Amino acid sequence: MNSPALSLRHNHFLNGGSALASGIRLPRSISSPFRVRMSLQENGPSVAVVGVTGAVGQEFLSVLSDRNFPYRSIKLLASKRSAGKSMKFEERDYTVEELTEDSFDGIDIALFSAGGSISKKFGPLAAQKGTIVVDNSSAFRMDENVPLVIPEVNPEAMAHVKLGSGKGALIANPNCSTIICLMAVTPLHRRAKVKRMVVSTYQAASGAGAAAMEELVQQTREVLEGKEPTCNIFNQQYAFNLFSHNAPIQPNGYNEEEMKLVKETRKIWSDKDVKVTATCIRVPVMRAHAESVNLQFENPLDENTARDILKNAPGIVVVDDRASNRFPTPLEVSNKDDVAVGRVRRDVSQDGDYGLDIFVCGDQIRKGAALNAVQIAEMLL
């Protein structure tokens, strides 16, 4: 929750701008004489954004604005250090308030992205006051009483949560890698049922927060200038390098990020028997993850049918041009809502049409975090 706010667009960094020097980034402004802003509505819910000065917190505001999410009031919450800062949202001035136990009086929906410890402390307190909390941390994802939701995948998991009922609730946002993976795989799973899934991820700096993004830029400049790179976030060179994901290693040899993919997939699909294995790698990309996914099905599914299914799936764009060797890239999906899928091909190591390989890219901050949370909030309206 103490992450500095920054501009998250690639061109900002490539042009040599300093993210930290720029201060709090404002959401993309969409002002046009032909468009009437309908977000501020007397009959809309009261909204709070927790961790508003961080990378995902800023993206919450951007997505709320982009999607004309209706609200009658919005409260911007952050750490004591950030309290008192002035921010402009949809042409109105707001003061960032310190997050306290009293912050959720009269709040209908709270979007949390302030880290697991903050969520564990304040999420249940907010729910007790009647607030519906959509939490982006890992704090509640595996709690059997908390729905873990991707709106395009398992909206039924939160059907019992009702806005205006007076009852608060916790809803968990899945991990970014899980969201991006299951957006692409679930439509195929519904057709042919996945027996086993092998995932290799290539994860961007944004997944480690704004400070990691800033350090990647700083390291890149330092290495190009022949200097020793500053290694405060990952304790090793990130620029022009890649390494095993920095999450803690578990007794089974997997790291936490890899086990999130395993456990969250089973919960979201309500299938404790599906076999999932993952290897997660951190790569020097700014804000979009890529994933190589190998699938084994119970029922046959040929690559042409799979491609057609994906073309008709919500939130998916197929980029699969073999003739020009054009497939999804992290750069092309950055700042985009849709998850891109390509390299759709039969797995030649399996007999018949019982296996496929696909390559998936998605914006980690947007669909992997903020957009998914706002879509959950939209389902409450």
Side-chain angles (χ1 to χ4, degrees):
M1 137 164 227
N2 294 326
S3 298
L6 69 161
S7 173
L8 301 174
R9 292 183 176 277
H10 282 270
N11 61 351
H12 175 85
F13 293 103
L14 296 178
N15 290 337
S18 169
L20 300 180
S22 68
I24 293 177
R25 171 187 177 249
L26 303 182
R28 289 191 290 275
S29 175
I30 305 175
S31 56
S32 166
F34 305 107
R35 179 172 180 177
V36 179
R37 173 66 63 195
M38 298 298 292
S39 302
L40 189 59
Q41 300 177 17
E42 289 185 6
N43 61 347
S46 55
V47 175
V49 176
V50 180
V52 70
T53 57
V56 175
Q58 287 288 284
E59 201 72 16
F60 278 149
L61 296 183
S62 179
V63 175
L64 289 169
S65 182
D66 288 351
R67 296 175 72 86
N68 277 340
F69 187 90
Y71 60 92
R72 70 173 180 271
S73 65
I74 188 165
K75 183 181 286 190
L76 309 185
L77 300 169
S79 66
K80 184 176 182 179
R81 187 183 70 176
S82 297
K85 291 183 178 180
S86 180
M87 295 179 62
K88 187 179 289 289
F89 175 62
E90 295 198 334
E91 302 179 3
R92 283 179 166 78
D93 293 317
Y94 295 87
T95 299
V96 176
E97 302 178 32
E98 181 182 357
L99 175 64
T100 69
E101 294 181 4
D102 299 322
S103 294
F104 302 99
D105 293 338
I107 296 297
D108 296 318
I109 300 172
L111 304 175
F112 272 63
S113 188
S117 61
I118 296 296
S119 293
K120 287 178 181 178
K121 179 179 179 180
F122 290 98
L125 286 172
Q128 288 171 10
K129 295 190 175 188
T131 302
I132 297 175
V133 173
V134 184
D135 180 47
N136 191 57
S137 80
S138 61
F140 309 108
R141 288 175 186 155
M142 298 315 299
D143 186 324
E144 62 181 14
N145 296 313
V146 176
L148 182 66
V149 178
I150 305 171
E152 296 90 342
V153 173
N154 64 330
E156 68 283 351
M158 56 174 283
H160 62 286
V161 181
K162 304 293 183 184
L163 186 66
S165 67
K167 295 182 179 180
L170 296 168
I171 302 172
N173 224 27
N175 192 41
C176 48
S177 298
T178 306
I179 294 173
I180 291 166
C181 178
L182 296 193
M183 281 290 294
V185 175
T186 300
L188 307 178
H189 173 61
R190 287 173 178 151
R191 173 65 67 92
K193 189 170 176 52
V194 172
K195 289 176 57 178
R196 183 171 187 261
M197 179 168 71
V198 182
V199 185
S200 298
T201 72
Y202 313 93
Q203 297 185 219
S206 57
M213 299 171 75
E214 182 72 11
E215 184 165 287
L216 175 56
V217 177
Q218 181 180 356
Q219 282 194 13
T220 301
R221 294 196 186 110
E222 290 169 341
V223 172
L224 289 174
E225 292 169 0
K227 301 176 182 177
E228 282 293 315
T230 300
C231 301
N232 295 326
I233 305 301
F234 297 116
N235 299 317
Q236 61 183 306
Q237 181 175 324
Y238 191 15
F240 306 99
N241 193 22
L242 55 83
F243 45 83
S244 180
H245 194 282
N246 48 294
I249 302 294
Q250 305 299 289
N252 64 0
Y254 286 71
N255 62 43
E256 282 186 0
E257 189 79 1
E258 292 158 351
M259 291 309 300
K260 287 176 185 177
L261 254 170
V262 175
K263 295 176 181 179
E264 292 177 19
T265 296
R266 290 172 176 166
K267 179 174 178 178
I268 292 167
W269 281 355
S270 298
D271 185 352
K272 61 181 175 58
D273 296 321
V274 65
K275 293 178 171 63
V276 180
T277 185
T279 300
C280 295
I281 304 296
R282 190 72 78 181
V283 297
V285 171
M286 198 56 68
R287 61 170 287 160
H289 290 349
E291 305 184 20
S292 170
V293 185
N294 174 263
L295 300 167
Q296 181 180 358
F297 300 106
E298 284 192 7
N299 304 304
L301 178 64
D302 66 83
E303 64 182 46
N304 291 326
T305 302
R307 200 175 288 107
D308 288 339
I309 290 170
L310 292 168
K311 286 178 179 177
N312 290 290
I316 293 292
V317 60
V318 175
V319 183
D320 201 33
D321 187 346
R322 295 179 180 177
S324 60
N325 204 13
R326 182 172 178 267
F327 304 104
T329 68
L331 193 60
E332 288 180 315
V333 301
S334 294
N335 297 290
K336 303 286 178 59
D337 288 351
D338 288 341
V339 171
V341 186
R343 298 301 315 278
V344 182
R345 63 202 188 278
R346 185 178 76 83
D347 177 0
V348 297
S349 72
Q350 299 187 50
D351 294 331
D353 290 318
Y354 288 87
L356 285 175
D357 286 295
I358 61 175
F359 187 67
V360 186
C361 289
D363 188 298
Q364 181 273 328
I365 306 177
R366 207 153 174 95
K367 182 54 184 173
L371 172 62
N372 197 78
V374 173
Q375 287 175 311
I376 289 171
E378 287 174 343
M379 291 171 59
L380 298 168
L381 301 177

